[in-house]
């Protein structure tokens, strides 16, 4: 089999998505998610100008070799843009392989280790009261695990809380708008919030929280310690993961499970975290983490250190990524949990999906390959609209992590 053509489909059904389509001389094609929220056109440019010309003529069955061609074969290693492009190529090649063998992707990864995938949803409100109500709404919909984010008194822009009733989408049209942040107010508020949530709903629901890179190591250690009595399923991104050893301080002070890595893009971002068991869940998703080929290696290394997966699954990762993630989660032993933010209905005008949610779990069907398709004609009806993630400043004006 030979790759004869490949194209990038950039479409904006409610938000921007980048999809790579690789075609072969046997009429089989594969899809890969190449979406990088707020940087979409950088990935498009890299794929169109550098990757696709090099793909033409290659044998799509040589997945491992092609992965290394675009990783080790490229002098300038790593980075979100290049790894998102490699991830899309890898997903598309696995999709082709599954279709050519007429078998679902999970069968190529060792077959089923489970029949249903535990997911967590988002509950967020402008204040503690509204957030607590939202948690109850999600529990009533069968969710066993709920991520709890809330507005914080005295902070204008808390992460993860939409400003209106529309679904939460952090990237706003045009250039980045600026937000302000106050860690002290956040740290003083959060334990009170989780005390209230546990008082109302008890211990029989998994609670998660995303600190979204907003603490210093000692602040992260304080937060993890003060949340210990509320038995979180995980505290996510307590600190920025750039300095892996900064997680040692948090680990030293708390047994609150830690999840990190949605902004990572290779196994090398994790080596200290894994070998020193500084984390409990790996968040790096297929679309930004080198695809199936690389994530198999990351998951295998993590399994030796009792670390499970917990894939990022926000709505700025496309249905192609979500379906591939569900296959991956179906097959590997050290699966932890999958983030599930349902895409808006308009997205399903462009992408036909092969997965469903039911009573706290997700299920992917037995369609060959990944199992998602894209309607290119429909995709063309939603042209790209530039959108940017916010830029964050502390209240004194200092640029900070968003
Ligand atoms: C968040 C994301 O889902 C999460 O855990 O960290 O919503 C993240 O803010 C967005 O994916 C950024 O595009
Ligand atoms: Mg996150």
């Amino acid at each position: 089999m030979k790759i004869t053509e490949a194209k990038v489909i950039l479409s904006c059904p409610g938000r921007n998505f980048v999809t790579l389509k690789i075609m072969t001389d046997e009429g089989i094609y594969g899809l890969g998610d190449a979406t990088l929220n707020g940087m979409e056109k950088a990935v498009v440019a890299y794929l169109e100008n550098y990757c696709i010309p090099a793909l033409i003529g290659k044998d799509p069955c040589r997945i491992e070799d092609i992965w290394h061609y675009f990783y080790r074969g490229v002098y300038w290693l790593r980075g979100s843009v290049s790894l998102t492009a490699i991830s899309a190529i890898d997903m598309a090649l696995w999709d082709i392989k599954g279709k050519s063998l007429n078998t679902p992707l999970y069968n190529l990864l060792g077959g089923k280790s489970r029949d249903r995938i535990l997911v967590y949803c988002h509950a967020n409100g402008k204040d503690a009261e509204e957030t607590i109500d939202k948690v109850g709404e999600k529990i009533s919909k069968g969710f066993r695990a709920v991520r709890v984010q809330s507005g914080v008194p005295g902070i204008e822009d808390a992460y993860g809380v939409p400003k209106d009733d529309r679904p939460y989408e952090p990237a706003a049209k045009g250039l980045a708008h600026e937000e302000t942040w106050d860690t002290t107010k956040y740290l003083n508020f959060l334990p009170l919030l989780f005390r209230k949530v546990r008082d109302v709903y008890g211990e029989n629901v998994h609670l998660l929280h995303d600190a979204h890179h907003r603490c210093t190591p000692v602040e992260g250690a304080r937060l993890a310690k003060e949340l210990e009595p509320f038995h979180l399923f995980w505290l996510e991104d307590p600190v920025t993961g750039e300095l892996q050893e900064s997680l040692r301080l948090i680990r030293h002070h708390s047994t609150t499970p830690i999840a990190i890595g949605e902004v990572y893009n290779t196994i090398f971002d994790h080596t200290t975290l894994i070998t020193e068991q500084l984390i409990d869940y790996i968040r790096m998703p297929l679309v930004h983490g080198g695809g199936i080929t690389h994530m198999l290696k990351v998951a295998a290394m993590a399994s030796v250190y009792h670390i499970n997966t917990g894939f990022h699954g926000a709505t700025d990762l496309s249905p192609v990524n979500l379906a591939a993630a569900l296959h991956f989660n179906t097959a590997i032993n050290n699966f932890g949990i999958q983030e599930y933010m349902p895409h808006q209905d308009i997205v399903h005008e462009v992408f036909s999906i092969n997965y469903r949610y039911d009573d706290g779990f997700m299920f992917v069907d037995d369609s060959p390959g990944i199992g998602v398709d894209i309607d290119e004609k429909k995709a063309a009806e939603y042209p790209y609209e530039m959108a940017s993630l916010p830029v964050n400043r502390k209240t004194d004006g200092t640029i900070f992590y968003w």
Side-chain angles (χ1 to χ4, degrees):
M1 196 187 308
K2 287 274 176 279
I3 293 171
T4 51
E5 188 190 348
K7 65 170 86 168
V8 182
I9 301 158
L10 176 53
S11 178
C12 188
R15 60 142 296 111
N16 292 310
F17 291 108
V18 184
T19 305
L20 173 68
K21 183 171 185 177
I22 297 180
M23 288 76 97
T24 68
D25 57 357
E26 294 187 13
I28 297 172
Y29 63 85
L31 297 180
D33 183 11
T35 307
L36 187 61
N37 200 7
M39 297 174 69
E40 291 86 1
K41 285 209 165 180
V43 182
V44 172
Y46 184 55
L47 280 168
E48 288 183 340
N49 295 290
Y50 299 95
C51 299
I52 288 174
L55 275 169
I56 307 304
K58 285 193 182 330
D59 175 352
C61 298
R62 299 182 61 168
I63 298 176
E64 183 79 12
D65 182 62
I66 290 173
W67 194 92
H68 287 285
Y69 181 91
F70 287 105
Y71 182 76
R72 292 202 173 130
V74 173
Y75 186 68
W76 306 111
L77 289 173
R78 300 167 73 178
S80 301
V81 172
S82 48
L83 264 298
T84 300
I86 294 171
S87 304
I89 293 166
D90 190 72
M91 269 187 238
L93 297 181
W94 281 97
D95 195 20
I96 289 167
K97 191 174 282 277
K99 288 173 177 176
S100 67
L101 298 172
N102 193 31
T103 192
L105 174 59
Y106 65 73
N107 258 350
L108 302 177
L109 308 180
K112 286 190 170 185
S113 294
R114 56 195 59 76
D115 293 304
R116 58 185 191 169
I117 304 299
L118 176 65
V119 293
Y120 74 88
C121 63
H122 289 193
N124 39 55
K126 64 182 177 306
D127 53 30
E129 287 62 38
E130 184 179 69
T131 301
I132 288 169
D133 289 346
K134 295 283 185 180
V135 172
E137 280 176 28
K138 298 296 182 178
I139 294 171
S140 67
K141 288 181 180 160
F143 285 99
R144 317 303 170 85
V146 183
R147 189 190 82 168
V148 181
Q149 306 291 136
S150 173
V152 176
I155 295 183
E156 171 79 22
D157 312 293
Y159 159 71
V161 182
K163 294 217 177 359
D164 50 36
D165 290 338
R166 279 175 300 162
Y168 179 62
E169 171 49 72
K173 297 280 183 277
L175 290 173
H177 67 280
E178 294 201 356
E179 297 187 352
T180 52
W181 177 252
D182 182 322
T183 307
T184 305
K185 289 187 171 69
Y186 167 72
L187 291 174
N188 291 335
F189 170 73
L190 217 66
L192 304 174
L193 172 70
F194 277 91
R195 172 75 281 156
K196 286 179 185 171
V197 175
R198 278 296 184 214
D199 287 347
V200 174
Y201 299 110
E203 289 285 341
N204 292 328
V205 59
H206 291 310
L207 299 178
L208 304 87
H209 180 71
D210 189 349
H212 218 263
H213 328 275
R214 304 278 173 102
C215 298
T216 61
V218 76
E219 290 167 342
R222 168 187 160 188
L223 180 60
K225 191 174 175 180
E226 292 182 359
L227 292 177
E228 253 181 32
F230 313 121
H231 308 134
L232 265 60
F233 184 91
W234 80 35
L235 173 60
E236 178 184 341
D237 286 333
V239 290
T240 170
E242 286 161 305
L243 185 67
Q244 294 181 51
E245 50 268 40
S246 61
L247 273 294
R248 289 176 185 150
L249 190 59
I250 296 174
R251 205 48 150 194
H252 179 74
H253 287 283
S254 173
T255 58
T256 296
I258 300 297
I260 203 164
E262 70 180 46
V263 296
Y264 286 168
N265 36 77
T266 70
I267 199 164
F268 301 103
D269 294 319
H270 298 83
T271 41
T272 305
L273 297 172
I274 292 174
T275 54
E276 294 186 19
Q277 294 181 294
L278 301 179
I279 57 172
D280 304 276
Y281 297 93
I282 285 184
R283 293 273 294 144
M284 186 167 75
L286 298 177
V287 57
H288 302 138
I292 291 104
T293 300
H294 195 53
M295 275 312 302
L296 283 171
K297 298 173 173 69
V298 178
M301 181 182 178
S303 68
V304 172
Y305 295 86
H306 305 287
I307 296 169
N308 290 332
T309 63
F311 282 153
H312 183 201
T315 42
D316 46 278
L317 286 58
S318 96
V320 178
N321 171 78
L322 180 51
L326 292 170
H327 283 284
F328 194 96
N329 296 335
T330 295
I332 61 162
N333 176 267
N334 60 322
F335 162 70
I337 199 166
Q338 168 69 45
E339 179 175 9
Y340 177 47
M341 274 179 85
H343 291 103
Q344 296 175 52
D345 291 343
I346 189 175
V347 174
H348 301 129
E349 289 181 28
V350 174
F351 294 94
S352 55
I353 61 174
N354 63 325
Y355 51 76
R356 62 187 174 85
Y357 166 78
D358 182 33
D359 195 30
F361 296 87
M362 288 191 81
F363 303 81
V364 66
D365 76 11
D366 289 340
S367 317
I370 293 174
V372 168
D373 207 349
I374 188 166
D375 179 330
E376 292 185 52
K377 199 159 161 289
K378 205 70 183 157
E381 291 178 21
Y382 299 104
Y384 167 77
E385 294 180 55
M386 184 197 176
S388 308
L389 286 170
V391 167
N392 210 8
R393 291 183 185 273
K394 291 183 181 176
T395 46
D396 70 356
T398 307
I399 283 280
F400 194 53
Y401 295 99
W402 172 72

